[in-house]
Amino acid sequence: MAQKVNIILVDDIDGSDATQTVTFGLDGANYEIDLNDKNANALRDAIAPYVGHARKVSRGGSAPKRGRAAAAAAGGASAKEIREWARDNGFTVPERGRIPADVRQAFDGAH
């Protein structure tokens, strides 16, 4: 027996037919709301001034950690430790900036 299922979105604000589901986040929680175009635009207009001044973050939900904090959080070595090891083992590494992938792989292999 064949079945046909129709899903009808209802605007969560005014009960009219919704045309879209809007996803947004606030205070670490993600939300979805079904809205018609008018209400979706009103929501976007209401938060636009805040979005315009905000930083975009990855799905993880927090700003990326840098330097020692990132290494400590990951349980790994800091960039300073890797540079010292690399120099002691014949690698040429810059004083600042990104550590080359081959140096990082060699460090990981030795530890």
Side-chain angles (χ1 to χ4, degrees):
M1 169 159 65
Q3 290 184 350
K4 185 175 182 180
V5 177
N6 290 323
I7 297 174
I8 300 171
L9 294 179
V10 176
D11 187 297
D12 293 321
I13 299 297
D14 64 17
S16 66
D17 289 341
T19 55
Q20 57 189 291
T21 300
V22 178
T23 304
F24 62 97
L26 181 65
D27 294 336
N30 293 319
Y31 301 91
E32 282 187 346
I33 187 168
D34 298 324
L35 298 171
N36 62 33
D37 290 339
K38 177 184 168 192
N39 287 333
N41 288 335
L43 173 61
R44 289 184 177 102
D45 289 345
I47 65 171
Y50 301 97
V51 172
H53 289 89
R55 292 178 302 277
K56 191 169 186 177
V57 296
S58 65
R59 282 202 173 270
S62 65
K65 295 179 181 172
R66 302 193 185 276
R68 290 185 189 172
S78 69
K80 180 181 177 184
E81 292 170 312
I82 296 172
R83 282 188 174 85
E84 289 173 1
W85 175 89
R87 290 185 189 110
D88 291 345
N89 288 278
F91 289 91
T92 301
V93 291
E95 289 294 322
R96 297 175 50 180
R98 186 179 299 258
I99 296 172
D102 61 326
V103 173
R104 194 171 287 278
Q105 288 172 347
F107 178 85
D108 290 342
H111 294 90

